[in-house]
Amino acid sequence: MNKLKAIICLLIPIGLAFAGSTKFGDTPPMLKFLDPFKGFWQNAESISDAQTKEISLTQTKASVEVLFDDRMIPHIFAQNDHDLYFTQGYVTAMHRLWQMDFQTRFAAGRISEVVGPKAIELDKYQRRMGMLYGAEKSLEGMFQDPQSKEMVMAYTAGINAYIESLKPADYPIEYKILDFKPEAWTPIKCALLLKQMSAVLAMGSDEFYMSNILKKFGPEVTKNLFPDYPFLESPIIPTGTKWDFNPLPSGTPPAEYEALDYYTQETKEKVEGIGSNNWALDGTKTASGFPLLANDPHLDLTLPSIWYQIQLHAPGVNSYGVSLPGAPGIIIGFNQDIAWGVTNVAADVLDFYQIKFQDNSRKAYLHDGIWKKTNTRIEEIKIRGQAVIQDTVIYTHHGPVVYLQKPDFSRADNVPQGSALRWIAHEPSNELKTFYLLNRGKNYADYRQALTYFTAPAQNFIFASKENDIAITPNGKFPLKWKNQGKFVLDGTNSAYDWKDWIPADQNPTVKNPPRHFVSSANQSSTDQSYPYYLNWEFSPSERGIRINSRLAEMNKANVDSMINLLQDDLGLFPKDLLPLILPLVNTEGLNATQREALNIMQAWNYYYKADEIAASVFELWAKRLNQSIWEDEFKIKGIPMRYPSRDRTLELIKKEPQSVWFDNTLTPTRETLTDLVNSSFKWTTDSLEKKYGTIGNNWAWGIVKNTHVPHLAKIPGFSSKILNIGGSKSTVNALSETNGPSWRMVIELGPEPKGHGVYPGGQSGNPGSKYYDNMVDYWAEGKLYELVYLKNVQDASAKIVTRLKINKKEKK
């Protein structure tokens, strides 16, 4: 009996020790996690005063100094390019290591290594979409250029130098929660990060919906409801701009390819809000007589922030702006002479091709009457706690055949079965060279030279210089397509549907110093209909672009405050256009007390999306329900996935064709009118808001209904921001939704001494235990911008420096 007790007493602590050191599901190993010397306690940062730290490393060529200002933004002073990018990698990893690691594992399809089998289908999806394949192609392009290769290799070495300095106690808290450790950084990870941005900005795919619409309704209805140019538009390149080049022939469209049957996949539709604004005024419209430039890329908001602020100073370069953690250089920013920014073009550079295989072995596919051999790529996927699995992906000359059989996985629903993916992200490229040159640019010629290296994701590159030049270029590597090539499904058996060539880079649409004295973009149509090349048939809704251009046209003696006010503009042009058409149709006799009050509020609304505005909440839900009521009966048919006509086309229909047959609900015996739909959707809206938020009042306010917040990148509870009671909407210049919005707001004053202003909804640190994790969120929510600290040299006394890091050259033994 005593022996049994002794054995039990021995087994209990062993069992507890095992349980405390083992990860169960999403629960971290608690003994390791709670260890006071190595666990999460070590991630609480103390708030200290100014200090200087010196380290010695063998990987640098000379000494480097890094000054951290009072927002913990690093200002790197190096004596050569290698040390500049080495140190950028080092300090970025110091603040954002887990974020860099997690994002690149996600892009590479390697999350199963961390969380186990529940991520297998996600990893397969990333591999099958060719993310790793595309990154390998990009890395080839980078390594063909000596400067880009040096950037990547030095940046990689810097990250690894920091990783090697860590003890387990120093690991970011997410490593401890998820129970894994950092691995050595490799150059391919820099390319993966850029590929992931291409995937985020690919904007979805509509061709299968459009092919179903064409098959069901025919070409006449399809062209009428889905026109190639919007009813309302103010294009990026001003209307009437002349094209000073001889365009290449884009080929003759073949006979319309019509599938034998309807497509059943429900691919991801284009998401409104993923976009951006940028603009620049020349000196004739500013108080200083020099240009002003503004940019605010709208992306999914996360903590840690998508961006990392930094200043890079070395011989030939002194630039400040935001970088992507995991890639060297500055993406959006300024230097002594120029400023630049980007918004998404949304060009049609992702197409699916229907493939006909010779037999079930899929070793050959039909193309121009010939059976061509397929290639295979074996993807090895490591799984935590399980054996490695191999996934075979078939490639045609178009690209990967993403799925032959669809798994039960939501992202797979976005991809057609048996189709090959042709995507610009699979092309060799060297985007880093663009930013290397922009960071060092001095004038318009340098800007134009830098753009020639940029492939994807296509961006509207805006530019301003102290020489008083302004310009904008929808830029990327664009396939030379015939009109609407990719609007519908493409026939993979016929080379007439192939991408055959590229639009010459110097024939991408561009404008310099236009007569209106400003340039701008908000993801709307790149040009008017006179541009001789096809970029896409549909872009983002026009309201933001129209509003920005209207405001800029009126400006004179503009200053920084003028720019910040425009960044915060939340006037809704869509309700301003729509409400005068539908409010008179509301039958007041049939309304209850809540509905009457809501109607009175709507009639008094000034169309601004303020946080306390009840009308904004009513309108957003009402407009969505009305749109659904108009189109659902015809375009939501089981087994035939289709999309609705655009908001622009719907507005045109209501305005110009109020008696249209499309307003009738074909599923009912009676004939409905626009008036019927307006009334039923209005009542449904008020009833829904009352059911969810209670009696009409403060709880219906737009800031509460919109529910804006900044979630943690891995959705770890407690690491997200609070709910931010702020205005703006997807369709306003201040484009904000629940978790999407301006990821970086920036205004630059050009002149003899440039001045920058900026903020993002986060902080420099990725450590939730740091005061620099989310210290900028409230300032961002208030619509304010910090003055950016742009130092000329190490001795510059214009900033409050709280920490210094000196890296000394250590000789190898």
Side-chain angles (χ1 to χ4, degrees), residues 130-150 152-153 186-192 194-195 377 425-433 453 455 477:
M131 293 292 286
L132 190 58
Y133 169 75
E136 290 166 358
K137 291 288 188 181
S138 283
L139 194 63
E140 290 175 14
M142 294 175 194
F143 275 17
Q144 289 173 5
D145 178 78
Q147 291 169 329
S148 301
K149 183 176 181 179
E150 182 181 41
V152 172
M153 296 304 292
T186 56
I188 192 69
K189 292 192 173 192
C190 297
L192 276 164
L194 297 171
K195 292 298 113 176
R377 179 182 170 99
H426 295 158
E427 291 291 318
S429 62
N430 183 14
E431 287 80 13
L432 287 184
K433 186 61 177 283
Y453 293 92
T455 295
K477 191 173 185 179

Side-chain angles (χ1 to χ4, degrees), residues 179 183 188 211 223 243 263 324 327 333 347 405 419 459 465 483 492 495 520 524 564 602 643 673 680 719 726 801:
D179 190 32
E183 65 179 4
I188 192 69
S211 289
K223 186 175 182 180
W243 310 112
Y263 300 101
L324 287 168
Q405 291 182 321
S419 294
Q459 298 291 291
S465 74
K483 188 176 181 181
S495 64
S520 74
Q524 74 270 44
I564 294 174
M602 296 300 294
R643 53 160 286 186
T673 64
S680 62
F719 289 177
I726 53 180
I801 302 303

